[in-house]
Amino acid sequence: MNPDFAIVLNFKLKNAKGVDADFLVKTARNIGARAVAADAFKTDFAKACKKYTIALVTTEPIQANYELSAANVVEQLVLQRKAGQQAVIDIPITDDGNLLAETKALLTQINNWMHLFGHAFNEGEPCHLTISNVNEDNGFVLQNRHMHFQKYIFIKAPLPEIIKIHGLTNKPNRIEMVAQRTELDFTFADNQLTINLKNAPKSDFTWQVIRIQEHRPEDDIKATKF
């Protein structure tokens, strides 16, 4: 399965009647999912997926071993991505084709978090960088699989005053909190990046993301004079 499909909404439809595939696929697109699966009405879902540019996949080889709720869904999503895996989320559809109240609450939580961090989440993959000065369960680093000059630090609140990233070979161009695009102070020496989080803006989210912007190919393009 395409590794960019970090979230797969797996619609359970076999007992449902009058399913609105267009609405369900649009809902998946709106929360930042890039793939869905369905166990019925596949022709309708294929049409909707084409309309909203979302992949229709099969989840048979993937066995989810976690239970999700609005309270724990972001935590579980982050753990899956840390391990380089997709999160397959079963979405039961009622007999009359609707979403359950608890499912709506869960999707709202995903939407709120993915609205800010979805790009890093979908396109991040494990990398060689390590993090210190934070509990190993509360922080890790991914890299953008398409643009390796972008790294993403996933870090859990409460934030420490500083964190250290090990393994970079060159000084980054910029470090910023993704949600607010707030630039952070940092130092770089002996392949160690030290980031100051004392003045990091507050957030309502337990898991936040910091972007490391390294040297980009376009940085080498010289300005054209006319």
Side-chain angles (χ1 to χ4, degrees):
M1 188 181 296
N2 189 323
D4 282 349
F5 301 161
I7 298 173
V8 180
L9 294 193
N10 186 26
F11 293 108
K12 298 295 187 179
L13 305 152
K14 287 186 176 178
N15 296 321
K17 300 177 179 63
V19 169
D20 187 347
D22 189 280
F23 166 74
L24 294 176
V25 173
K26 183 179 180 181
T27 297
R29 189 277 311 269
N30 287 349
I31 69 164
R34 296 181 178 179
V36 300
D39 58 5
F41 302 95
K42 293 190 177 182
T43 299
D44 293 340
F45 273 84
K47 180 180 178 180
C49 285
K50 183 177 181 180
K51 176 180 177 180
Y52 293 108
T53 320
I54 284 185
L56 181 61
V57 301
T58 177
T59 61
E60 279 79 358
I62 304 173
Q63 297 296 323
N65 59 356
Y66 43 81
E67 294 185 5
L68 298 178
S69 67
N72 75 356
V73 64
V74 170
E75 179 84 15
Q76 188 61 55
L77 291 178
V78 170
L79 291 177
Q80 290 295 112
R81 213 50 174 161
K82 180 182 180 181
Q85 299 173 356
Q86 286 93 5
V88 178
I89 304 176
D90 289 343
I91 304 294
I93 304 300
T94 63
D95 290 351
D96 57 358
N98 292 315
L99 296 170
L100 298 169
E102 53 265 37
T103 300
K104 292 179 181 179
L106 181 146
L107 294 177
T108 296
Q109 287 295 103
I110 296 174
N111 177 69
N112 291 343
W113 192 80
M114 289 288 286
H115 179 72
L116 294 174
F117 307 119
H119 179 77
F121 183 76
N122 276 317
E123 300 192 0
E125 66 177 0
C127 69
H128 68 283
L129 300 184
T130 59
I131 185 171
S132 65
N133 207 48
V134 64
N135 186 290
E136 65 178 0
D137 294 328
N138 294 344
F140 61 94
V141 186
L142 301 181
Q143 70 179 4
N144 187 303
R145 68 172 45 82
H146 306 292
M147 299 178 291
H148 288 180
F149 54 80
Q150 284 194 0
K151 307 293 195 297
Y152 308 113
I153 305 167
F154 286 71
I155 189 162
K156 190 175 184 179
L159 303 184
E161 290 190 352
I162 65 167
I163 55 173
K164 297 181 179 182
I165 305 298
H166 309 273
L168 288 171
T169 56
N170 296 296
K171 181 180 179 180
N173 290 347
R174 177 183 172 90
I175 310 291
E176 67 179 12
M177 301 295 295
V178 168
Q180 304 87 357
R181 299 189 67 85
T182 302
E183 192 165 358
L184 299 172
D185 294 330
F186 68 92
T187 59
F188 182 75
D190 299 324
N191 294 348
Q192 177 177 284
L193 173 67
T194 302
I195 303 173
N196 187 339
L197 297 177
K198 291 180 182 179
N199 298 319
K202 303 296 182 182
S203 174
D204 294 331
F205 295 104
T206 301
W207 279 97
Q208 300 177 57
V209 181
I210 299 168
R211 180 187 291 112
I212 301 173
Q213 183 74 48
E214 297 183 273
H215 184 81
R216 304 168 299 173
E218 54 263 41
D219 294 332
D220 296 324
I221 299 175
K222 296 181 180 180
T224 302
K225 295 182 180 180
F226 296 94

